Amino acid sequence: MPAAAFLAVQDADARRTPDPPPATAERGGLQNDLEDRPTPIRFSAYEIRRLVVPVQPQPPRAERIRHGLAWSYWRRCHRAVARARHRRHHDHGTARPPPRTAAAQSISN
């Protein structure tokens, strides 16, 4: 992603420089028609990423699938550990009663 970083720095530099003075309307013809168009806003970081990623070389499809599955497995394991730690942290050692089932609710009513 060095290209994205380069474009982001260029965009930040462009934001620091003042806008050029407005062009005069003395010119006629096609040039004047082009000046009537609105000036597009500067690139956002997200747009830079959207422009740079497709032009980068991509690994073979099988490798992308294998990487995606490995990442998914890692993420699900990480979430399981985080969930267990969260529950252990918020449990404070107190025992919770088991959840009430539909049968237990009908008996108590």
Side-chain angles (χ1 to χ4, degrees):
M1 284 306 225
F6 173 76
L7 289 174
V9 169
Q10 293 299 319
D11 183 51
D13 286 342
R15 290 175 194 261
R16 284 194 288 265
T17 59
D19 290 332
T24 60
E26 295 173 0
R27 298 183 205 125
L30 180 63
Q31 183 66 28
N32 196 16
D33 291 343
L34 293 176
E35 289 174 3
D36 291 341
R37 294 182 185 172
T39 304
I41 62 173
R42 293 183 174 102
F43 286 104
S44 66
Y46 180 74
E47 189 174 3
I48 292 170
R49 180 174 167 254
R50 291 280 308 227
L51 292 171
V52 170
V53 167
V55 299
Q56 290 180 332
Q58 298 292 319
R61 185 172 188 265
E63 187 177 334
R64 288 192 315 247
I65 292 171
R66 191 171 34 256
H67 174 75
L69 290 173
W71 177 85
S72 176
Y73 177 77
W74 172 86
R75 176 70 181 139
R76 288 181 290 124
C77 290
H78 178 72
R79 287 178 60 200
V81 170
R83 177 181 288 176
R85 288 180 180 166
H86 176 83
R87 288 183 176 165
R88 187 171 52 231
H89 174 74
H90 289 282
D91 190 25
H92 300 295
T94 59
R96 294 189 180 132
R100 296 182 68 178
T101 62
Q105 288 178 356
S106 64
I107 293 173
S108 63
N109 291 335

